[in-house]
Amino acid sequence: MIRESYRQYGDDELVKASLEGNKQAFGEIIARYKGMVARTVKGMLGDSVYSEDIGQDVFIKLYKSLPDFRGEAKLSTYIQKIAVNLTLNELKRRKRFFSMFTQAGNNEMYEYEIAAHDSEERRDAAEIVGKALKGMDPRFRIILTMRMLQGYSTRETAEILDLPIGTVLSRLSRAQEQLKGILNKL
Amino acid sequence: MKASEIKKMLIRSLDPDADTRDFPEKLEEEGVYFDFSYGFSDKVLDRLSHAVSASLPQAEFIKGMNYVFYRIALTGIAAIVILLISIFLMEGSLSINSFIGLSDTYDESIMCLLTGN
């Protein structure tokens, strides 16, 4: 009920209130951006309890780093960067862990749970997207996640991933080739 | 949307010039959505509350230590000053001999004290 009143607040006001220790205001930030974070984290790591933990870590890290947020970038971009960094760190950790036991890549941990949809068409869509994400190299999967699941432009993708635009363009092309290969098999 | 259309949309999203802004919305309409489990926000806020309350005793302890350290340091400085003043008043100087209480003692008498002869 109290959180309702924060719905009309702008991001800057919510950040200010959160810095003053107002948990309700921070709760509104979570409510506003959890979907965006879920698309990045679950798009990259799949649907599992680990993704939930990483999602929580994103907001914990955001809360701790709010004093450093100067408002130069949009809050959504700032949160997205944290989500991308934590997700990529988790992928590296998994890769290290699996390389100790097996030659298998980190895709071993990718679980894409297809939600129970009402129609076959909708089930197909979820399955295709899930299999496409799962089959891609993480370097390309993050590009697909930013473009397809988040709707970012090439320039925004480069900014969030902290990559030169040339690198993103080259990865887009290679990711597209890989994706075509995966989708042809489906 | 047919499976072939979804595939085309996926491939198109990786065209550098494609306008992908409405793609997430289109995917959601097709039932492809990502979200965290029920009660996610409350879990984060709970974790934050625990993190804050766990860090509070630690911070209080460090603050307390700082306070105690200053009190001890100031008391020590005051004691040294009082000691210096009392030595000066009793011995009339602040030489090393005055400090260690050897102002009226000769080397020979120390030898006597040490050797017992």
Side-chain angles (χ1 to χ4, degrees), chain A residues 42 52 117 122 147 154 176, chain B residues 11 15-16 29 31 35 37:
Chain A
K42 293 198 169 185
E52 293 275 333
H117 292 304
R122 282 159 75 88
R147 297 280 288 154
T154 307
Q176 204 173 41
Chain B
I11 291 169
D15 279 338
E29 283 168 12
D35 206 354
S37 59

Side-chain angles (χ1 to χ4, degrees), chain B residues 24-48:
Chain B
E25 208 176 306
K26 277 184 185 169
L27 278 180
E28 274 191 28
E29 283 168 12
E30 293 306 314
V32 183
Y33 54 85
F34 298 84
D35 206 354
F36 294 115
S37 59
Y38 178 77
F40 175 82
S41 304
D42 294 331
K43 282 178 200 162
V44 175
L45 292 175
D46 273 358
R47 271 184 66 185
L48 276 174

Side-chain angles (χ1 to χ4, degrees), chain B residues 22-91:
Chain B
D22 59 343
F23 281 21
E25 208 176 306
K26 277 184 185 169
L27 278 180
E28 274 191 28
E29 283 168 12
E30 293 306 314
V32 183
Y33 54 85
F34 298 84
D35 206 354
F36 294 115
S37 59
Y38 178 77
F40 175 82
S41 304
D42 294 331
K43 282 178 200 162
V44 175
L45 292 175
D46 273 358
R47 271 184 66 185
L48 276 174
S49 302
H50 284 116
V52 169
S53 58
S55 65
L56 271 178
Q58 216 174 355
E60 282 299 311
F61 177 74
I62 293 166
K63 233 164 100 176
M65 285 299 283
N66 276 343
Y67 178 72
V68 169
F69 174 77
Y70 280 117
R71 291 292 290 263
I72 291 171
L74 286 174
T75 312
I77 290 168
I80 290 167
V81 170
I82 291 167
L83 189 70
L84 286 173
I85 292 169
S86 65
I87 288 171
F88 183 74
L89 291 174
M90 286 192 306
E91 305 292 335

Side-chain angles (χ1 to χ4, degrees), chain A residues 102-119:
Chain A
T102 170
Q103 293 297 311
N106 46 36
N107 279 353
E108 293 292 311
M109 288 289 284
Y110 196 102
E111 294 165 27
Y112 189 85
E113 198 177 289
I114 302 156
H117 292 304
D118 46 2
S119 73

Side-chain angles (χ1 to χ4, degrees), chain A residues 122-138:
Chain A
R122 282 159 75 88
R123 264 199 308 275
D124 281 350
E127 199 174 335
I128 290 167
V129 174
K131 283 184 176 168
L133 287 165
K134 183 178 179 176
M136 290 186 90
D137 182 291

Side-chain angles (χ1 to χ4, degrees), chain A residues 7-166:
Chain A
R7 287 218 175 129
Q8 54 209 344
Y9 275 47
D11 284 352
D12 292 345
E13 291 165 303
L14 288 174
V15 168
K16 200 178 164 196
S18 301
L19 281 169
E20 286 163 2
N22 189 329
K23 291 278 162 58
Q24 297 288 341
F26 192 69
E28 175 57 28
I29 293 180
I30 299 171
R32 207 171 276 188
Y33 292 109
K34 71 185 171 87
M36 180 190 82
V37 172
R39 285 196 294 274
T40 296
V41 175
K42 293 198 169 185
M44 284 300 291
L45 303 175
D47 198 356
S48 68
V49 285
Y50 302 105
S51 308
E52 293 275 333
D53 288 345
I54 300 293
Q56 289 180 23
D57 289 346
V58 169
F59 288 103
I60 303 278
K61 191 161 185 188
L62 170 69
Y63 188 80
K64 287 180 180 170
S65 64
L66 273 183
D68 302 326
F69 177 67
R70 287 173 299 212
E72 288 163 0
K74 283 196 287 185
L75 182 65
S76 59
T77 309
Y78 191 69
I79 298 172
Q80 191 65 262
K81 282 187 176 187
I82 295 174
V84 166
N85 285 337
L86 291 187
T87 305
L88 293 178
N89 285 347
E90 172 64 11
L91 279 174
K92 278 181 203 159
R93 191 191 65 77
R94 286 181 187 186
K95 199 173 180 179
R96 275 200 304 271
F97 179 77
F98 278 105
S99 65
M100 285 193 290
F101 305 104
T102 170
Q103 293 297 311
N106 46 36
N107 279 353
E108 293 292 311
M109 288 289 284
Y110 196 102
E111 294 165 27
Y112 189 85
E113 198 177 289
I114 302 156
H117 292 304
D118 46 2
S119 73
E120 201 174 322
E121 262 187 16
R122 282 159 75 88
R123 264 199 308 275
D124 281 350
E127 199 174 335
I128 290 167
V129 174
K131 283 184 176 168
L133 287 165
K134 183 178 179 176
M136 290 186 90
D137 182 291
R139 278 179 309 158
F140 303 143
R141 194 190 304 156
I142 188 79
I143 301 274
L144 182 66
T145 302
M146 292 295 113
R147 297 280 288 154
M148 182 79 188
L149 303 183
Q150 302 288 7
Y152 288 128
S153 68
T154 307
R155 189 185 53 78
E156 287 167 329
T157 303
E159 188 195 334
I160 287 164
L161 300 182
D162 212 12
L163 289 172
I165 194 100

